[in-house]
Structures are given as structure tokens and as C-alpha cells.
């Protein structure tokens, strides 16, 4: 009998590809991310393409994965990172809005919408989305830090301090 790990094949594949890339083993990562048709494979292929400096091809892979499942967090997150690095965060916003509409109870997807709003300078709406995500995952210290960042960007230091009081000690918390 096979051992079933939390997160299943998708997280295992993504983790294996990321590890191979981090170790400089692009050929191994490329083999593991070989086309098989599943959206998880598209996300893994996109990671390899991005590591090879082929951002446009990586973006195509991620957008293809999102056509099949517009709320797939792994593909959304990877596309957001890609577009943010290319200073194209506004292009991500409609995708994040759609995903959050399809998965309103997924704190990761809702938080990603908040982060996208923050990236385009909409601190007020970012705060709303990040607070909603924190309500869905109240133990999320990363969410708490992102919410405080949005509050600070929106010129609301007192609520940011209150938000930070609930977060565990960390270098990120101290930096804010």
C-alpha cells in the first residue's frame, strides 16, 4: 500500500521540482515536470521555465492551468509572483478577483486577492480582503503581518499595531 501524504501529488511534485531547482538540477526538475496534462504539472513546468529565464512561457503554462481551475491556489500564487516580478501586478487583479469569487472560503485565495490589491496601491481594499482571510484562518501569522502591512500602507498605524500584537515574534514582525 502506498503512503498518502498531506497535500497529495500536487504538493509533492511542486516540492520536488522546487528542491531540484534549488539544488541546480534543472534537468531532473524538467523530467519531473514533464507534460502529463494535470494543472499540477503545468505549475511544475512553469517553475522550470521561470528558472530557465523563460517567463513568457511560464506565464502561458500558469494561465493554461487556471483555465481548467481558476481558483487553483498554486497556479495563482506562482502567476502572481511572476507578474509582480515583471511589474505587471495590475494584470493579475482580475484573475484574483475571479478566484476569490469562486473560492470565498479559501483563506489563501482571499489573501492573494488582498496582496494583489496592495501591490496595485489599493491599501483600503487590501485591508478588507486580508482581514477577511484572517477571519477564515485566525491562526495565520503571515496573514496578520500582511494585514498590518496593508494598514500601514493605508496610513493606519494604530490598527496595524493592534494587528501585530496578535502575531508571534518573528523578524518580519519586528521589521514592521
Amino acid at each position: 500500500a502506498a503512503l498518502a501524504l498531506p497535500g497529495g501529488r500536487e504538493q509533492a511534485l511542486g516540492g520536488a521540482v522546487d528542491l531540484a531547482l534549488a539544488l541546480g538540477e534543472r534537468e531532473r526538475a524538467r523530467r519531473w515536470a514533464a507534460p502529463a496534462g494535470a494543472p499540477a504539472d503545468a505549475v511544475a513546468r512553469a517553475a522550470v521555465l521561470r528558472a530557465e529565464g523563460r517567463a513568457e512561457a511560464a506565464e502561458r503554462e500558469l494561465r493554461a492551468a487556471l483555465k481548467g481551475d481558476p481558483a487553483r491556489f498554486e497556479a495563482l500564487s506562482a502567476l502572481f509572483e511572476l507578474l509582480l516580478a515583471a511589474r505587471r501586478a495590475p494584470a493579475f487583479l482580475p484573475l484574483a478577483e475571479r478566484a476569490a469569487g469562486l473560492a470565498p472560503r479559501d483563506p489563501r485565495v482571499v489573501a492573494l486577492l488582498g496582496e494583489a490589491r496592495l501591490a496595485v496601491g489599493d491599501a483600503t481594499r487590501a485591508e478588507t480582503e486580508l482581514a477577511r482571510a484572517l477571519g477564515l484562518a485566525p491562526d495565520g501569522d503571515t496573514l496578520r503581518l500582511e494585514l498590518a502591512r496593508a494598514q500601514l500602507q493605508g496610513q493606519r498605524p494604530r490598527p496595524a499595531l493592534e494587528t501585530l500584537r496578535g502575531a508571534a515574534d518573528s523578524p518580519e514582525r519586528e521589521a514592521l
Side-chain angles (χ1 to χ4, degrees):
L3 177 65
L5 298 174
R9 179 183 181 279
E10 183 167 341
Q11 283 189 346
L13 177 61
V17 168
D18 287 346
L19 179 60
L21 291 171
L23 295 173
E25 297 183 20
R26 284 191 185 159
E27 189 53 42
R28 179 175 289 181
R30 196 177 293 114
R31 275 195 318 273
W32 287 342
D41 302 324
V43 174
R45 282 191 305 277
V48 172
L49 291 166
R50 187 171 182 197
E52 292 174 343
R54 299 173 54 200
E56 288 179 12
E59 182 178 343
R60 281 192 301 274
E61 285 286 348
L62 294 168
R63 287 183 182 276
L66 290 170
K67 281 185 182 173
D69 183 357
R72 177 172 292 281
F73 175 76
E74 291 77 10
L76 284 165
S77 180
L79 183 57
F80 181 55
E81 286 179 23
L82 187 78
L83 294 175
L84 192 60
R87 300 188 192 280
R88 294 177 45 218
F92 181 74
L93 201 51
L95 297 170
E97 289 169 340
R98 180 169 187 228
L102 292 169
R105 306 278 311 147
D106 185 334
R108 301 172 309 161
V109 172
V110 174
L112 203 51
L113 173 57
E115 290 177 27
R117 291 198 190 288
L118 197 57
V120 299
D122 189 350
T124 302
R125 290 177 75 191
E127 182 179 345
T128 299
E129 300 300 345
L130 290 164
R132 187 163 67 101
L134 186 58
L136 295 168
D139 294 336
D141 273 347
T142 301
L143 289 173
R144 225 175 271 292
L145 295 171
E146 285 302 311
L147 175 57
R149 188 171 285 119
Q151 290 165 329
L152 288 171
Q153 190 170 322
Q155 305 299 313
R156 295 173 24 85
R158 285 199 175 122
L161 287 173
E162 281 302 311
T163 299
L164 287 173
R165 280 194 183 101
D169 286 337
S170 69
E172 293 85 4
R173 177 181 169 202
E174 295 304 315
L176 287 175

